[in-house]
Amino acid sequence: MTAAEEVAKASLSSTVPDEDDPVLESGFKASAPLMSAWTSLVGPTLPHLSRPLLDRCGRVFAVLAGSPRDSEGWSQVVQEAGDALKRAQAKFKFDRKKAVHRRGRYASITCGISYGGGQQHPGNLAHTPHNRIVVDELLKNDAIRRLAGFGDACMRLYAPRLYEYYAGTMDIVCRDNPKLKRNFERGVFGAATFNLGPKVVTYVHTDHQNIPSGWCAVTALGDFDYKKGGHLLLWDVKLAIEFPPGALILLPSAILRHSNATIAPRERRSSFTQFSAGGLFRWVECGCRSQKVFSAEGNTLAMTGAERWLRGVGMWSTWGQLKSALGRK
């Protein structure tokens, strides 16, 4: 674990909404500290209500964003997105060796702009011509695009400074290489993963190649009883969170160990995740060149890992800032 991740883990203290103090129509609640034992966090009464999780400094480090207010229309979007993933699973030609991996036993497709793992510069993740057609069908699907747009909008609402950092980084990366193609126009995230299932139940893991203070946007899909299974388990803050199909959760997946509760034998669960590789941010900080080249030229990074962490959590909104931004007391 890096020094930045150690600082990150030390600063997190989980909190859950206090039902006695509703403060926003969007469903935000004030927060109270958890006990040391695991806590089951039941979803809001209405699916469009949201709940933040705060650290001990009152910063929003994760958001149970729920779904848009158009519940009937959103149900159709969720159904269509799930169907799109089923079609993709039938068409995509998978490497069988990659069906079992450190996150679980299920097939997935990752696409978009990334940097790391031996790449000399940022690039679009490669696929065979056949599989590229399948990926393009997913990215052009109206329901998938709505899921992506909702993830972007929620990040912009709850963490506007972090959102601008992501957006600015992507703008610089794409200006540096105009041949790069974003998954979605104006999309703030560099890449996306379609976890196809049929039973996406992840092992305990972190997404360590993302920046520690960064967020990923995860939307659950499928047909399962979310009261009995499919919960998002956050091990470091001891939360078991109901995660119904169509709901969105934003979380710092690089530092929080997370997994899913199992689902029943005949149920199906998939998910759609958006994220940005930490390498993209390092590329920009090094003046659009690799850190190896940057260092060989006699340069040094302006910040240490711990300093970058503190800058990163400084981009998280505090509870007071969010209330003030919406003109609430």
Side-chain angles (χ1 to χ4, degrees):
M1 182 180 294
T2 66
E5 288 170 342
E6 290 281 9
V7 174
K9 288 286 183 68
S11 76
L12 292 175
S13 177
S14 59
T15 58
V16 293
D18 179 354
E19 296 295 341
D20 293 331
D21 187 16
V23 292
L24 295 178
E25 289 180 359
S26 65
F28 276 120
K29 308 289 181 181
S31 299
L34 284 176
M35 302 302 289
S36 60
W38 276 76
T39 296
S40 178
L41 188 54
V42 178
T45 305
L46 298 175
H48 63 263
L49 298 184
S50 304
R51 291 187 175 194
L53 303 181
L54 311 184
D55 69 9
R56 62 167 61 99
C57 297
R59 296 174 297 217
V60 178
F61 71 86
V63 181
L64 317 183
S67 59
R69 289 182 177 275
D70 179 17
S71 57
E72 183 175 341
W74 193 249
S75 295
Q76 184 63 33
V77 168
V78 173
Q79 179 64 49
E80 291 176 1
D83 290 344
L85 266 62
K86 289 180 187 177
R87 292 193 296 271
Q89 186 165 18
K91 295 178 182 179
F92 199 88
K93 294 182 179 179
F94 294 96
D95 181 348
R96 290 180 179 272
K97 295 179 181 179
K98 296 182 179 180
V100 179
H101 42 84
R102 71 180 187 86
R103 291 180 175 86
R105 301 173 62 89
Y106 54 85
S108 62
I109 301 171
T110 300
C111 57
I113 300 169
S114 189
Y115 178 56
Q119 289 175 277
Q120 298 301 307
H121 49 76
N124 281 101
L125 295 168
H127 293 282
T128 65
H130 170 86
N131 285 346
R132 184 72 248 176
I133 293 172
V134 180
V135 170
D136 287 343
E137 288 177 353
L138 283 170
L139 296 178
K140 293 176 181 177
N141 182 279
D142 288 341
I144 297 296
R145 295 172 74 84
R146 282 200 64 186
L147 296 183
F150 184 59
D152 270 27
C154 286
M155 184 172 178
R156 188 172 189 175
L157 174 64
Y158 297 115
R161 290 186 297 278
L162 185 63
Y163 176 94
E164 291 301 329
Y165 181 47
Y166 270 56
T169 297
M170 283 299 297
D171 287 345
I172 293 172
V173 168
C174 291
R175 280 200 304 269
D176 181 61
N177 183 0
K179 293 182 180 180
L180 295 176
K181 184 179 179 182
R182 301 190 192 213
N183 284 337
F184 309 101
E185 301 88 350
R186 302 182 301 277
V188 73
F189 295 101
T193 295
F194 299 92
N195 296 311
L196 304 177
K199 290 185 179 297
V200 175
V201 176
T202 62
Y203 301 151
V204 181
H205 70 284
T206 59
D207 301 311
H208 58 274
Q209 293 186 332
N210 297 350
I211 57 173
S213 59
W215 282 1
C216 69
V218 186
T219 302
L221 299 168
D223 183 10
F224 59 95
D225 186 345
Y226 68 89
K227 294 285 186 180
K228 296 181 179 179
H231 295 62
L232 176 65
L233 306 178
L234 299 181
W235 293 80
D236 298 291
V237 293
K238 295 182 172 63
L239 283 177
I241 303 167
E242 289 183 358
F243 199 178
L248 167 72
I249 294 180
L250 297 158
L251 75 156
S253 63
I255 58 170
L256 287 183
R257 291 177 300 153
H258 56 284
S259 63
N260 295 114
T262 189
I263 58 175
R266 295 183 182 232
E267 293 180 329
R268 182 182 181 96
R269 185 182 185 277
S270 54
S271 65
F272 170 61
T273 301
Q274 297 188 90
F275 62 96
S276 288
L280 295 174
F281 300 90
R282 289 193 299 274
W283 175 266
V284 170
E285 288 193 25
C286 291
C288 293
R289 52 198 187 277
S290 70
Q291 191 168 344
K292 181 178 180 180
V293 171
F294 179 80
S295 298
E297 293 174 348
N299 301 302
T300 57
L301 292 171
M303 295 182 180
T304 65
E307 288 170 339
R308 283 195 296 274
W309 161 255
L310 292 175
R311 178 190 63 179
V313 296
M315 297 180 197
W316 293 350
S317 300
T318 67
W319 187 233
Q321 289 167 343
L322 286 177
K323 290 193 291 184
S324 296
L326 293 178
R328 300 303 178 91
K329 296 181 179 181

